[in-house]
Amino acid sequence: MNDSYNRQIQYLRVSVTDRCNFRCVYCMPTQGVKHLSHNEILSYEEFLRIIKILSKHGVNKIRLTGGEPLVRKGIVQFIRDITALQSITDLSMTTNGSLLAAMAEQLKAAGLTRVNISLDTINPKRFRQITRRGELAQTLQGIEAALAVGLTPVKLNIVLTNMITEQDIAYFVDFVHHKPVSIRFIEYMPIGESQTTPGPSIEEIKTMINGFGRGILTPTLDIFGNGPAKYYDLPQAKGTFGFITPISDHFCGVCNRIRLTADGKFKPCLLSNQEIDVKTALRNGASDDEITKLFYHTIAKKPQSHTLTNTDEPTEFFRRMSQIGG
Ligand code: SAM
Ligand code: SF4
């Protein structure tokens, strides 16, 4: 299914919960956000019905996100149920990794293909400052478990805040040298009540990486699919680096995704307040055709590009990142 700008929409990101065991400074306010009640949140059966319908209209790639997807009970069975749909060929998850060590094996067995794990620093004190609750050791164990069970390619997401240091970059260079992971630096997006200061620019990070004597970054292809990251190799490294630039060089022209929030709204664009209510239709007995129409309507509403960098008319966002899923 193509949108008005000829982008083929194949990818649905599903936020299975707005809850999270972390409170990352760039994602949530200190006190957290008011949680959705049990009745407000879509049941797994409701999510599955939507996924089934969309899979008949070109969606073949699903990413589970949150809040933190691993805090929602029943996630393993949900993954099994999605896996049973033959038309879904790629089922991935974005997680903070804190619960992954204990769950990686079951997730893999249920059919999860791969994981992206957030890891903003390798300093335990700064990790705690950024996440406000997290333990670095648990996330590192989660990364090792993902590699061990083959939830690959493992991608690590690093949001560029002012808390990242040269010590972190040195560690990441070493990590990429020894491990088959992709380390992706993401420009901080100032949405919701996030409380952080943007960190070094992508160019500054590249200069730091090139300065560690492990060779110079050279452009390469994505190790899986064609997402928004631009990838680079380092000589003799087992992994790669990726750079995601929603602010300095947006990739809206190749955006192939829509989002489904935990409270049952389709979102045509991460960085827009537009939402299409699918939950009400679902609970009022809508037919598959009616749900399909809402999906088509969402695609028709996809803007050509976001307006986050438009300083004349700054957007006031209704949702925090944890309520959309990134
Ligand atoms: N809890 C999971 C996690 O942290 O990976 C999944 C949900 S989280 C909202 C998804 C992704 O969004 C994470 O990689 C996180 O780092 C990123 N993210 C959150 N707030 C952001 C912001 N303001 N700018 C850029 N990325 C952000
Ligand atoms: Fe939770 Fe992920 Fe947001 Fe951090 S980025 S608060 S782990 S949802």
Side-chain angles (χ1 to χ4, degrees):
M1 176 70 196
N2 285 19
D3 74 358
S4 326
Y5 304 96
N6 214 23
R7 294 171 296 199
Q8 201 182 359
I9 310 304
Q10 305 172 287
Y11 178 12
L12 177 72
R13 290 177 73 111
V14 180
S15 169
V16 295
T17 177
D18 60 330
R19 294 181 187 230
C20 187
N21 51 351
F22 286 8
R23 296 280 179 275
C24 299
V25 290
Y26 47 72
C27 182
M28 276 201 207
T30 322
Q31 69 280 14
V33 286
K34 188 177 170 294
H35 287 144
L36 295 168
S37 66
H38 183 70
N39 191 44
E40 283 172 303
I41 205 164
L42 290 190
S43 66
Y44 284 129
E45 290 72 26
E46 289 171 322
F47 278 127
L48 200 62
R49 173 151 181 239
I50 296 171
I51 292 171
K52 259 187 201 160
I53 295 170
L54 270 51
S55 74
K56 293 182 187 141
H57 296 273
V59 169
N60 56 14
K61 185 172 167 179
I62 305 278
R63 174 172 296 276
L64 305 176
T65 175
E68 172 48 42
L70 294 180
V71 302
R72 182 155 178 187
K73 286 202 181 99
I75 189 80
V76 174
Q77 183 56 43
F78 183 47
I79 288 170
R80 266 185 220 117
D81 292 339
I82 301 175
T83 305
L85 304 174
Q86 297 297 320
S87 42
I88 302 301
T89 51
D90 181 27
L91 175 57
S92 59
M93 178 182 282
T94 302
T95 168
N96 64 30
S98 59
L99 303 172
L100 196 53
M103 296 180 74
E105 220 167 293
Q106 307 169 59
L107 293 167
K108 176 72 184 173
L112 190 70
T113 329
R114 59 203 176 90
V115 284
N116 290 5
I117 304 169
S118 300
L119 176 75
D120 298 310
T121 172
I122 46 80
N123 178 297
K125 213 168 135 201
R126 274 183 282 115
F127 187 86
R128 172 52 75 118
Q129 281 170 347
I130 293 174
T131 61
R132 296 199 185 101
R133 294 187 175 185
E135 290 294 338
L136 173 68
Q138 288 177 348
T139 293
L140 292 178
Q141 283 160 15
I143 294 169
E144 290 301 336
L147 285 168
V149 304
L151 284 170
T152 50
V154 172
K155 296 181 180 181
L156 306 184
N157 289 344
I158 293 130
V159 177
L160 287 171
T161 69
N162 63 347
M163 281 197 247
I164 193 160
T165 65
E166 220 167 313
Q167 183 204 11
D168 292 316
I169 308 295
Y171 177 92
F172 292 140
V173 168
D174 203 54
F175 206 67
V176 153
H177 197 79
H178 296 289
K179 305 266 182 184
V181 294
S182 189
I183 297 194
R184 296 133 36 101
F185 296 94
I186 305 174
E187 285 174 347
Y188 161 66
M189 289 173 265
I191 83 164
E193 268 174 59
S194 46
Q195 295 154 5
T196 191
T197 311
S201 69
I202 295 286
E203 285 315 311
E204 286 166 334
I205 295 287
K206 285 182 184 168
T207 305
M208 277 190 235
I209 294 172
N210 287 339
F212 283 113
R214 294 270 198 175
I216 302 295
L217 291 166
T218 53
T220 183
L221 292 176
D222 187 351
I223 49 175
F224 194 97
N226 44 4
K230 293 198 180 94
Y231 285 94
Y232 288 77
D233 277 334
L234 264 190
Q236 274 129 45
K238 290 195 173 144
T240 57
F241 280 108
F243 300 94
I244 304 183
T245 54
I247 307 292
S248 65
D249 183 15
H250 73 71
F251 33 82
C252 306
V254 293
C255 181
N256 62 351
R257 61 196 66 181
I258 65 161
R259 293 171 166 80
L260 176 60
T261 64
D263 58 345
K265 306 281 167 30
F266 280 138
K267 278 187 76 68
C269 170
L270 167 68
L271 297 171
S272 143
N273 285 321
Q274 287 195 84
E275 301 188 343
I276 287 90
D277 182 6
V278 59
K279 180 174 72 182
T280 305
L282 210 58
R283 293 189 180 173
N284 286 340
S287 66
D288 286 7
D289 282 351
E290 283 162 332
I291 304 290
T292 304
K293 272 193 195 136
L294 292 177
F295 170 55
Y296 282 4
H297 181 60
T298 306
I299 292 178
K301 287 275 173 199
K302 240 180 120 51
Q304 186 168 21
S305 67
H306 74 71
T307 53
L308 192 60
T309 44
N310 180 351
T311 44
D312 295 340
E313 276 180 64
T315 310
E316 198 189 318
F317 291 98
F318 303 151
R319 287 180 185 263
R320 280 112 185 157
M321 204 61 105
S322 61
Q323 297 168 308
I324 310 173

